[in-house]
Amino acid sequence: MADCIAAISTPAASGGVSMVRISGKDAVETAAKVFVPVYPVKKVEEMKGYTAAYGNIVSDGKKLDDGVLLVFRAPHSYTGEDTAEITCHGGIHVTRRVLQAVLSAGARMAQAGEFTKLALLNGKMS
């Protein structure tokens, strides 16, 4: 698995929701540092693949937004690696704050096209 990368995965335009994708080693653990489920049935780190949770997105103990966390476990994800997607309210300001929280939690900024490159390298596309 590659190191943990993150980026905004929706267009920089006004819309109802935006998404920050996290992929690679410790992707779900990184998401757990910024996402707190409202109805915690399990810890975020214990979520199975293809599951979702509603909750709060936080940074330094302060709520940034509420949203949905989706978890995809390797190899059944777009990149072929563990992946977490945090969906928040649209608007570039909130989305950038969520991304910054994820980066502060340990992910690094993905390079342009890096998610697709990983999908190719991991045999998810040709």
Side-chain angles (χ1 to χ4, degrees):
M1 281 191 183
D3 56 337
C4 186
I5 60 172
I8 297 169
S9 294
T10 47
S14 59
V17 295
S18 294
M19 183 181 61
V20 174
R21 179 176 289 144
I22 311 163
S23 187
K25 187 177 184 308
D26 300 325
V28 178
E29 290 77 7
T30 300
K33 293 177 184 176
V34 299
F35 187 86
V36 180
V38 171
Y39 306 107
V41 175
K42 294 182 180 180
K43 297 166 92 177
V44 167
E45 298 91 337
E46 296 173 356
M47 289 175 64
K48 293 183 181 185
Y50 294 101
T51 60
Y54 170 74
N56 294 312
I57 304 160
V58 299
S59 178
D60 297 322
K62 296 180 182 173
K63 181 178 174 179
L64 299 176
D65 197 8
D66 60 329
V68 175
L69 172 69
L70 299 163
V71 172
F72 303 92
R73 296 291 183 169
H76 307 290
S77 70
Y78 175 71
T79 63
E81 301 178 337
D82 281 353
T83 301
E85 296 176 347
I86 299 174
T87 303
C88 58
H89 288 94
I92 197 63
H93 177 71
V94 171
T95 310
R96 284 183 180 158
R97 289 183 66 200
V98 172
L99 175 61
Q100 185 56 52
V102 169
L103 297 175
S104 294
R108 73 164 172 82
M109 184 66 133
Q111 298 173 3
E114 191 168 3
F115 292 112
T116 301
K117 178 182 175 183
L118 289 170
L120 181 64
L121 292 174
N122 290 323
K124 301 304 286 185
M125 60 175 39
S126 58

